[in-house]
Amino acid sequence: MDIDRYLDRIGLRSRPGPNADDIAVLQAAHRLSIGFENLDIPLGRGIRIDAESVFDKLVARGRGGYCFEQNRLYADVLTRLGFPNRTLLARVRLGMPQGITPPRTHACLLAQIDGRSWLADAGFGGSNVPPLPLVDGAQAATADGARHRLRLIGEAGSMGGQWMLERAGPPSATDGRAEGHLGWQAQYTFDLSDVALEDLEQANHWTATRPGTRFTSLHIASIPLADGFASMVDRELTVHRAGRTEQRIIADAADYAQTLRDLFRIALTEKEVAGLTLFTPADNR
């Protein structure tokens, strides 16, 4: 872990101090600088989540990644900075109908900050999530106008999860899966069970390979903005900024590559974009 190179990637000039406020700044900088994306899956490259591969991809090569990559990098950073942490597996509830039990396909972190446990998540693609103390009813706000809340909802190890992360705010400041209202909506549920590296490898493999899922059937990119959120699903771009939402269709591979670079902070060449099969030769003329 080259911590200085990581801090340069996310635009921080100094290391955070040993307190929750500085970790909130660190996590926000990570989220604003390293886009969420699944593009190695449609490119047929697979997803590696060992420390060296993740650092090379997200830091050295200027790419983004999804939760198993983002939070592996963030866990290594927190460890390097002296904050004990461990990975949890969560069930994503955003956009999920009632009565459905989704698999544990989201990785997040339980970190020790200021002498107590915190939910730390630098890799949720659905919306911006700030650090939250693991306390029933704990809340925090983000610059997109949303509030975030943790609730204790069940017994440890229950199928529903022991904790639920909720969000209330503009639906446009998400990746498009939110319901069209400003009230509280479930984001994901989790318990505090120990998670082994083998559990993460299995969940990552399922997420990256199972046919017909969001990550194997769509091309996804998202990133929080200083005052909003941007999301791109296949060729449809949605940008929510300063309370206003704009949408457009990406024209061609050059437009897609530039949008990835300029908005999502993801370095993918036009040649690589052509390999996504999102565009026909006629689109690129």
Side-chain angles (χ1 to χ4, degrees):
M1 166 53 63
D2 185 338
I3 192 67
D4 293 325
R5 196 171 181 187
Y6 166 80
L7 293 174
D8 184 65
R9 170 77 166 99
I10 67 171
L12 286 186
R13 295 184 177 180
S14 59
R15 301 187 184 196
N19 59 76
D21 288 343
D22 278 12
I23 292 302
V25 171
L26 175 75
Q27 185 168 308
H30 179 123
R31 298 237 52 201
L32 290 169
S33 302
I34 305 178
F36 181 96
E37 50 124 325
N38 74 326
L39 300 178
D40 272 353
I41 297 174
L43 285 170
R45 297 172 176 171
I47 305 293
R48 298 178 62 87
I49 58 172
D50 61 281
E52 293 79 9
S53 296
V54 167
F55 187 90
D56 177 66
K57 180 181 176 182
L58 274 64
V59 178
R61 294 192 283 122
R63 287 286 303 280
Y66 67 4
C67 65
F68 293 100
E69 301 166 285
Q70 297 268 7
N71 280 322
R72 175 55 196 262
L73 175 63
Y74 194 39
D76 291 341
V77 168
L78 290 176
T79 298
R80 181 71 174 80
L81 293 173
F83 296 95
N85 66 88
R86 61 185 179 91
T87 306
L88 305 175
L89 282 171
R91 304 181 190 273
V92 176
R93 304 285 178 175
L94 178 62
M96 189 65 60
Q98 291 287 334
I100 300 296
T101 301
R104 290 185 173 98
T105 57
H106 178 60
C108 52
L109 303 177
L110 185 70
Q112 299 303 309
I113 306 168
D114 279 349
R116 55 179 178 166
S117 296
W118 288 69
L119 173 68
D121 190 348
F124 187 55
S127 64
N128 196 3
V129 178
L132 287 160
L134 197 70
V135 175
D136 187 21
Q139 293 192 32
T142 44
D144 56 11
R147 292 174 295 151
H148 307 264
R149 178 172 70 183
L150 275 176
R151 287 203 298 123
L152 187 62
I153 62 168
E155 295 296 326
S158 66
M159 288 295 287
Q162 186 182 4
W163 294 87
M164 176 181 286
L165 174 68
E166 298 177 308
R167 176 187 180 277
S172 296
T174 71
D175 67 357
R177 288 179 286 171
E179 299 176 23
H181 63 79
L182 298 173
W184 291 109
Q185 298 182 43
Q187 304 296 287
Y188 55 79
T189 54
F190 61 95
D191 64 29
L192 307 183
S193 300
D194 288 335
V195 173
L197 176 60
E198 290 77 10
D199 298 322
L200 294 173
E201 292 282 1
Q202 182 181 53
N204 174 57
H205 177 74
W206 189 97
T207 302
T209 61
R210 188 177 191 274
T213 68
R214 179 175 178 82
F215 289 120
T216 59
S217 59
L218 298 171
H219 305 75
I220 296 168
S222 68
I223 194 167
L225 306 174
D227 56 355
F229 196 83
S231 172
M232 188 160 58
V233 179
D234 289 338
R235 295 173 60 174
E236 184 174 329
L237 173 66
T238 302
V239 179
H240 180 84
R241 207 181 246 140
R244 299 180 58 185
T245 303
E246 297 181 355
Q247 293 182 306
R248 72 177 181 90
I249 300 299
I250 300 296
D252 52 32
D255 185 12
Y256 193 94
Q258 182 175 356
T259 301
L260 282 178
R261 181 178 62 252
D262 295 347
L263 183 59
F264 294 96
R265 312 290 294 277
I266 295 169
L268 206 66
T269 67
E270 190 175 331
K271 182 178 179 180
E272 290 174 307
V273 169
L276 295 173
T277 67
L278 278 169
F279 305 96
T280 67
D283 292 323
N284 296 320
R285 281 187 289 189

